[in-house]
Amino acid sequence: MVRVSGPQAGAALKALIGRVPEPRKAALGRVRDLRSGEVIDEALALWFPAPHSETGEDVAELQLHGGQAIITGVLEALSRIDGCRLAEPGEFTRRAFENGKLDLTEVEGLADLIAAETEAQRRQAYRQLKGMIGDRAEDWRRRLIEALALIEARIDFSDEADVPENLVEPALQAARQLRGEIAASLADGGRGERLREGLVVAIAGPPNAGKSTLLNRLARREAAIVSPYPGTTRDVIEVHLDLGGYPVTLLDTAGIRDSDDPVEQEGVRRARERAAAADLVLWVTDLSVDGKGSIEGFAGPTAPEHWLVRNKIDLAADAAAGRSESGSNGGIKHSLTISARTGAGMDELIAALTMHAKTYFASTEAALVTRARHRRALEETGAALGRALGQSSGGHEELIAEELRSAATMLGRLTGRVDVEDILDVIFRDFCIGK
Ligand code: GDP
């Protein structure tokens, strides 16, 4: 599909197919080369006059037959029209934002929706695209501005007899209520952000225990694999899994080794940091070397939970694969026996991981905050409200007003209503051309 947005969109459509169809009704048209008049393709054309379009501008869309020569021909024909040029990545969305069709949180929701790899991520992104956090923040901002207006009225008209004395108390009451609601939305354990990134599971253990073999086996499972790619540091291999609709990011820290090379040391440091921040550690041991499967040498991350995965069951004839024990053995929550080579016990391991992800994300349905940016904005809003309330006993109305104003500004930044030039490029950079 080729999409044209802006004041020349109608002219472009007329030049290409000879007419502008009825708004929002599909029409069949022959797309012609402007100079030779030769038919490039037969296309379905759609016309969305402003402001009822995705960008808020006039928009024309051509559904073409998708071949490379067709696309090149159509883009070339368009480029000969005055004022037509190729869109930048994310530019359609950016215009939609600038024309008030989407607020900034909705733009982020759209980016997440496009990037969503699992059902749970898709649902969360769609909720955000539909304004879940944006509408909430706007409501907070509106109430904040009402409270601010009361204080300002009190300041401006304090000498006049008919302005009631008790304007400040209702304003503070509203601020208190708002601070409570914002604090509640922040108290979600970071699950919204985590759902975007996936539950992080680090595979750790002594050398040659079979960590890489295990990761490869997990990654090769057709049902599970989403996209294997090397991690951000060359020392961590990262694999994304879709387990029961929930995103799980597996990290193989096998590459973590000591080095004298300062660049590599930095990589190792980052890899360690990444593993230390994991939600779950699978501590892999070689059953044939260490029958009990101790976590001796477990100098690694103090994750909230770690499981013992005793590998190479195929080398120990007597033990049963998949045998799983729960209980505490030096901090071990769960113990499984597998063979990464033969695949024995893998179903049990996957089932346990799926269960864990499900439990972990169970309460995400209502998560409002999905990005660090949102969290920061809401934290700063809450802090400003706290300072406003702290001024209440002193009766410094100007200071209260100042803090409420800055709280409103923070909320405005969240939805992109105020002063956000600096973050726009960062947000739109992630889109591809045509979005
Ligand atoms: P890592 O250093 O922990 O990543 O270990 P690797 O995955 O590289 O495995 C070390 C060696 O153990 C390799 O030769 C693997 O083929 C072997 N290995 C891994 N898992 C198993 C297993 O379940 N059974 C047997 N017999 N060998 C295994």
Side-chain angles (χ1 to χ4, degrees):
M1 188 180 83
V2 171
R3 174 192 275 165
V4 186
S5 179
Q8 290 290 81
L13 206 51
K14 189 137 199 316
L16 286 181
I17 65 163
R19 66 198 167 105
V20 175
E22 237 186 288
R24 293 175 297 282
K25 290 246 162 67
L28 196 63
R30 291 212 174 99
V31 185
R32 284 177 195 277
D33 183 281
L34 303 191
R35 274 192 302 207
S36 65
E38 190 194 344
V39 175
I40 302 172
D41 190 17
E42 204 161 63
L44 219 48
L46 287 157
W47 169 239
F48 303 96
H52 303 293
S53 72
E54 192 169 341
T55 58
E57 306 171 330
D58 284 347
V59 169
E61 290 181 359
L62 288 173
Q63 294 179 24
L64 302 149
H65 285 107
Q68 196 52 55
I70 292 173
I71 294 168
T72 309
V74 169
L75 292 184
E76 226 169 68
L78 280 169
S79 73
R80 280 191 218 109
I81 296 170
D82 259 355
C84 264
R85 63 159 171 82
L86 213 56
E88 315 266 352
E91 191 172 2
F92 291 102
T93 311
R94 185 160 188 156
R95 290 193 181 183
F97 166 69
E98 278 160 4
N99 293 323
K101 286 274 167 180
L102 296 173
D103 76 24
L104 212 46
T105 65
E106 289 163 349
V107 167
E108 289 167 329
L110 179 59
D112 285 352
L113 191 61
I114 294 166
E117 290 181 330
T118 71
E119 208 176 309
Q121 288 174 322
R122 172 178 56 70
R123 272 198 218 111
Q124 172 167 292
Y126 185 73
R127 275 198 305 270
Q128 194 178 320
L129 172 62
K130 289 289 118 193
M132 194 165 82
I133 181 169
D135 292 352
R136 198 75 199 282
E138 266 314 298
D139 174 57
W140 284 332
R141 202 169 88 100
R142 187 184 48 74
R143 286 157 58 194
L144 199 49
I145 288 168
E146 280 168 13
L148 179 60
L150 292 178
I151 306 258
E152 283 177 338
R154 170 80 196 130
I155 296 169
D156 292 348
F157 304 107
S158 54
D159 298 337
E160 289 172 33
D162 57 349
V163 171
E165 279 290 316
N166 58 345
L167 287 172
V168 177
E169 193 36 52
L172 291 173
Q173 185 53 41
R176 227 170 273 130
Q177 171 77 24
L178 280 171
R179 188 171 63 149
E181 288 177 28
I182 290 172
S185 77
L186 286 169
D188 59 2
R191 274 155 207 265
E193 288 117 304
R194 196 26 71 73
L195 185 55
R196 284 187 68 236
E197 289 153 19
L199 179 85
V200 180
V201 178
I203 301 180
N208 289 320
K211 298 182 292 296
S212 305
T213 312
L214 173 61
L215 185 93
N216 285 334
R217 185 164 274 280
L218 284 168
R220 252 188 284 117
R221 288 181 61 104
E222 252 176 84
I225 183 72
V226 175
S227 63
Y229 57 81
T232 43
T233 74
R234 60 191 143 138
D235 296 282
V236 181
I237 306 294
E238 190 175 308
V239 170
H240 291 198
L241 304 179
D242 176 342
L243 295 183
Y246 295 102
V248 172
T249 301
L250 276 178
L251 303 178
D252 177 13
T253 60
I256 299 185
R257 63 196 170 272
D258 291 320
S259 161
D260 295 333
D261 174 7
V263 177
E264 210 159 291
Q265 274 171 359
E266 174 58 20
V268 169
R269 194 189 60 74
R270 280 196 225 141
R272 284 229 166 85
E273 217 170 75
R274 197 79 214 277
D279 303 294
L280 173 69
V281 171
L282 299 183
W283 184 257
V284 183
T285 61
D286 183 339
L287 197 56
S288 64
V289 173
D290 174 9
K292 280 204 314 322
S294 78
I295 54 164
E296 192 113 16
F298 185 82
T302 38
E305 188 166 332
H306 41 265
W307 296 357
L308 178 62
V309 178
R310 300 158 79 219
N311 189 29
K312 310 197 186 179
I313 182 76
D314 53 307
L315 297 179
D318 54 330
R323 198 183 57 193
S324 146
E325 297 152 26
S326 291
S328 55
N329 154 20
I332 296 276
K333 254 305 244 313
H334 200 61
S335 161
L336 291 133
T337 316
I338 63 156
S339 168
R341 175 170 287 174
T342 67
M346 289 301 292
D347 287 346
E348 286 81 356
L349 176 59
I350 299 229
L353 281 173
T354 306
M355 205 47 217
H356 188 72
K358 214 173 189 158
T359 313
Y360 187 90
F361 288 121
S363 58
T364 347
E365 288 303 322
L368 204 62
V369 174
T370 62
R371 289 182 187 236
R373 189 182 80 78
H374 307 162
R375 187 166 295 280
R376 260 197 320 276
L378 291 179
E379 278 168 357
E380 283 168 12
T381 307
L385 285 171
R387 288 194 300 273
L389 292 167
Q391 297 290 353
S392 61
S393 53
H396 301 301
E397 284 149 13
E398 279 87 359
L399 296 178
I400 298 174
E402 186 53 36
E403 295 297 356
L404 291 184
R405 218 171 285 124
S406 98
T409 305
M410 295 305 165
L411 278 178
R413 284 181 68 94
L414 175 59
T415 53
R417 281 195 160 233
V418 284
D419 182 30
V420 288
E421 272 312 311
D422 50 335
I423 52 175
L424 288 186
D425 288 338
V426 177
I427 289 171
F428 288 98
R429 189 179 58 197
D430 294 339
F431 282 93
C432 53
I433 292 174
K435 286 288 181 318

